[in-house]
Amino acid sequence: MSREQKVVQQARSAFLTGRSRPFHYRIQQLQSLRRFVLERKSDFAAALQKDLGKSEHGMELFELLGVEREIMLAIDELPKWAAPKPVEKNLLTIMDEVYVQPEPLGVVLIIGAWNYPLAVTLQPLIGAIAAGNAAVIKPSELSSHTAKVMEDLSLYLDKEMYHVVTGGVTESQELLKQRFDHIFYTGNSMVGKLVMQAASCHLTPVTLELGGKSPCYIDKDCDITIACRRITWGKYLNCGQTCIAPDYILCEPSIQDRLLEEIRKSIKEFYTDDPKSFTDYGRIVNQRHFQRLMALLKGSTVAIGGNGDESERYIEPTVLRDVNPEAKVMQEEIFGPILPVLTVSGADEAISFINSREKPLVLYIFSSNKKLIKRMIEETSSGGVLANDCLVHSTVSALPFGGVGNSGMGSYHGKYTFDQLSHLRSCLIRKLATEKANMMRYPPHTFEKIRWARIVLLNQVNVGRLWRVVLVTLLGILAAFVVQRLRQ
């Protein structure tokens, strides 16, 4: 039996004991998870600096705080999330108890990504714990130093219920051969297809948090200075290695030069004249990705930057101008500090261009025209939409975060993670009395029974509203009776 088989078997055995079902157990595990990320904060900071060149403050802002927020939300809201939820009834079930009961799925496999290896690995785990599942966590081997720190999770959580498996492709493949009750994968669409194919052998449901080329349309009438500052921040954060970073800009030719100038100013403002030595400008994860990114520049005109240092995995903030839609840089998700600018005649062509490609994870729109923003939302499809800013929608736990089509399936954050990793069980409890009410469904079937069935089944009943109507009616009858008695 392989190590991966043993891990999954142990997690399933622990889950079957039922100890993860009580709320107090789940909350205790969530509190321990929070203690893990806080106590090991300096270790994570050092690891992320080695893996991706992240600064300590950057790690706290864009990795740690999001994890803390999700943990605290889950602890506070768990009793509400996990409570039975009554549903509307029809006349046939008006006397029954009808509700939806969230229940744990079982053993969840979480395959993390390397770009935000703390946040995108632990946030799904928060939902898995809150929903009462066991979990096997596979951190990305590309962020090897962070994965090493993640191994110590077993010192804080129930080590029979929650397991960390490190390693590379071989370990991932062996894990995917095992039967899980849900697989949560964050990464690219090519590997996402392999995960989905492996899951199909066991009919295991999947959540795929992928990516794609997220377009950014800039309307000529918006505040271009502010738009470019926000785009520059969203694009070059984490050296462009963010799944929801603006992948390319669409704008009219008349504003292209102004955009380039404003982006140049913002790069200097954020990262100084020497981004290479600036603390908050990161590094490409490895040499292979460095070479891939530098190759994307071929055939396009560099307007800003374009230089790199492979020995340090450094690529300076880069902008390309007048990019051809058929250029190499437009054929795959960039996932690095390269920003192509394409010109279009206006919103009509921008919408047509966006719709001609795979559905993106995010659509960014910069405009002062609310009607235009609404139109672009209505006439396109994407995992999410953000107008007049970048990335910040991912901080709202009340919004589902996820893709559509080639950019992913399923969503998470806040309650959406809990629901994604729960089985929403339909429950109806009735008594063995009032058998006469059931006569319409028993043979022989007649026109009269059909008539009654239509009345009973085609009328939904909101029980609370019904009782209010009954109460008001009774009060009216009582009031009329009192008035009549007083008159006598």
Side-chain angles (χ1 to χ4, degrees):
M1 184 181 291
S2 68
R3 175 183 64 148
E4 290 75 19
Q5 283 178 299
K6 291 177 181 176
V7 162
V8 177
Q9 188 179 81
Q10 187 176 19
R12 190 168 300 282
S13 296
F15 174 76
L16 291 175
T17 65
R19 66 175 180 259
S20 65
R21 287 182 175 267
F23 290 172
H24 66 82
Y25 173 90
R26 306 183 202 184
I27 289 172
Q28 184 268 324
Q29 294 299 307
L30 289 168
Q31 290 169 337
S32 296
L33 180 60
R34 186 179 183 219
R35 188 162 54 86
F36 168 60
V37 296
L38 292 178
E39 289 183 2
R40 306 304 296 273
K41 175 181 168 182
S42 59
D43 295 328
F44 276 119
L48 285 163
Q49 205 288 322
K50 292 175 183 175
D51 288 331
L52 291 155
K54 294 189 181 185
S55 67
E56 183 176 356
H57 295 317
M59 180 279 296
E60 187 163 0
L61 269 173
F62 304 114
E63 298 249 22
L64 184 62
L65 286 178
V67 172
E68 268 199 273
R69 181 189 69 243
E70 290 281 305
I71 292 174
M72 294 167 68
L73 179 66
I75 290 172
D76 291 342
E77 298 294 322
L78 180 57
K80 186 190 300 182
W81 293 350
K85 295 171 181 60
V87 298
E88 287 191 1
K89 308 175 187 181
N90 55 40
L91 291 172
L92 184 65
T93 59
I94 192 170
M95 302 303 293
D96 302 326
E97 188 178 354
V98 188
Y99 59 95
V100 176
Q101 176 65 65
E103 68 173 15
L105 289 171
V107 183
V108 175
L109 171 62
I110 298 168
I111 304 176
W114 53 262
N115 60 327
Y116 291 88
L118 177 60
V120 301
T121 305
L122 294 187
Q123 285 186 359
L125 178 61
I126 294 165
I129 294 172
N133 298 296
V136 176
I137 301 101
K138 171 60 180 69
S140 172
E141 68 276 12
L142 298 189
S143 295
S144 58
H145 297 91
T146 307
K148 184 67 178 174
V149 180
M150 203 74 76
E151 286 183 317
D152 291 342
L153 192 61
S154 61
L155 301 176
Y156 293 80
L157 300 185
D158 184 335
K159 62 183 179 181
E160 294 179 344
M161 190 79 70
Y162 306 105
H163 302 260
V164 176
V165 175
T166 55
V169 174
T170 301
E171 288 75 12
S172 296
Q173 289 175 337
E174 187 61 34
L175 278 172
L176 288 170
K177 291 177 185 177
Q178 313 308 313
R179 184 174 72 83
F180 290 93
D181 299 289
H182 196 100
I183 298 175
F184 196 113
Y185 167 76
T186 304
N188 63 61
S189 58
M190 182 179 68
V191 177
K193 292 174 184 177
L194 299 176
V195 170
M196 195 169 182
Q197 186 177 27
S200 69
C201 295
H202 300 288
L203 293 180
T204 300
V206 296
T207 300
L208 302 178
E209 294 296 333
L210 308 178
K213 298 184 75 63
S214 294
C216 178
Y217 176 69
I218 304 179
D219 181 22
K220 65 181 180 181
D221 295 325
C222 77
D223 187 322
I224 290 176
T225 300
I226 291 177
C228 289
R229 291 184 84 248
R230 294 177 182 181
I231 292 166
T232 301
W233 170 74
K235 178 62 183 181
Y236 299 111
L237 176 69
N238 198 30
C239 208
Q241 298 166 121
T242 304
C243 64
I244 52 173
D247 191 90
Y248 60 93
I249 288 175
L250 296 172
C251 69
E252 293 184 31
S254 62
I255 64 170
Q256 182 178 208
D257 289 339
R258 172 86 188 281
L259 289 178
L260 294 173
E261 183 57 32
E262 293 298 338
I263 291 172
R264 190 190 306 275
K265 289 179 183 176
S266 296
I267 290 172
K268 183 177 180 179
E269 177 190 350
F270 295 161
Y271 303 112
T272 74
D273 287 322
D274 184 18
K276 188 175 183 179
S277 61
F278 190 67
T279 307
D280 287 318
Y281 189 75
R283 293 297 183 266
I284 305 305
V285 68
N286 58 26
Q287 266 75 27
R288 179 172 67 84
H289 278 283
F290 175 91
Q291 293 164 7
R292 176 187 66 81
L293 287 163
M294 294 302 290
L296 293 181
L297 300 178
K298 293 178 181 177
S300 295
T301 303
V302 175
I304 300 170
N307 298 310
D309 181 347
E310 186 170 354
S311 66
E312 293 195 25
R313 297 175 285 127
Y314 166 78
I315 298 176
E316 63 182 327
T318 298
V319 184
L320 310 177
R321 67 171 297 148
D322 297 312
V323 174
N324 188 313
E326 304 305 316
K328 191 173 183 181
V329 75
M330 292 302 295
Q331 306 313 308
E332 63 180 74
E333 182 180 8
I334 295 170
F335 223 67
I338 300 169
L339 181 59
V341 179
L342 291 77
T343 58
V344 291
S345 59
D348 289 344
E349 188 179 352
I351 290 169
S352 178
F353 185 86
I354 292 164
N355 288 338
S356 70
R357 295 178 167 244
E358 295 285 3
K359 294 179 180 180
L361 186 55
V362 194
L363 167 61
Y364 293 109
I365 310 161
F366 283 83
S367 176
S368 301
N369 186 339
K370 195 167 185 179
K371 287 184 178 179
L372 175 61
I373 293 171
K374 293 288 187 181
R375 181 191 166 203
M376 293 196 76
I377 292 173
E378 290 171 2
E379 296 184 18
T380 61
S381 178
S382 60
V385 177
L386 179 52
N388 296 321
D389 210 340
C390 291
L391 313 188
V392 295
H393 65 297
S394 65
T395 67
V396 183
S397 296
L399 285 174
F401 181 90
V404 58
N406 205 60
S407 59
M409 61 179 67
S411 58
Y412 75 125
H413 286 184
K415 186 176 183 293
Y416 295 98
T417 321
F418 177 88
D419 288 344
Q420 191 76 29
L421 300 179
S422 297
H423 170 54
L424 303 181
R425 194 178 192 180
S426 302
C427 301
L428 188 151
I429 303 173
R430 67 176 7 179
K431 299 174 182 177
L432 288 169
T434 63
E435 179 65 5
K436 283 192 175 183
N438 296 320
M439 296 306 292
M440 74 177 72
R441 73 188 192 198
Y442 298 148
H445 303 304
T446 65
F447 286 116
E448 184 65 16
K449 288 183 178 180
I450 292 173
R451 186 176 71 83
W452 277 107
R454 293 184 68 85
I455 293 171
V456 168
L457 295 176
L458 299 184
N459 288 282
Q460 292 296 109
V461 178
N462 184 307
V463 176
R465 191 182 302 128
L466 179 63
W467 281 117
R468 285 195 295 272
V469 170
V470 170
L471 181 60
V472 169
T473 303
L474 290 174
L475 287 172
I477 293 170
L478 179 60
F481 176 75
V482 170
V483 170
Q484 186 179 20
R485 294 288 293 182
L486 288 173
R487 284 176 178 171
Q488 290 177 355

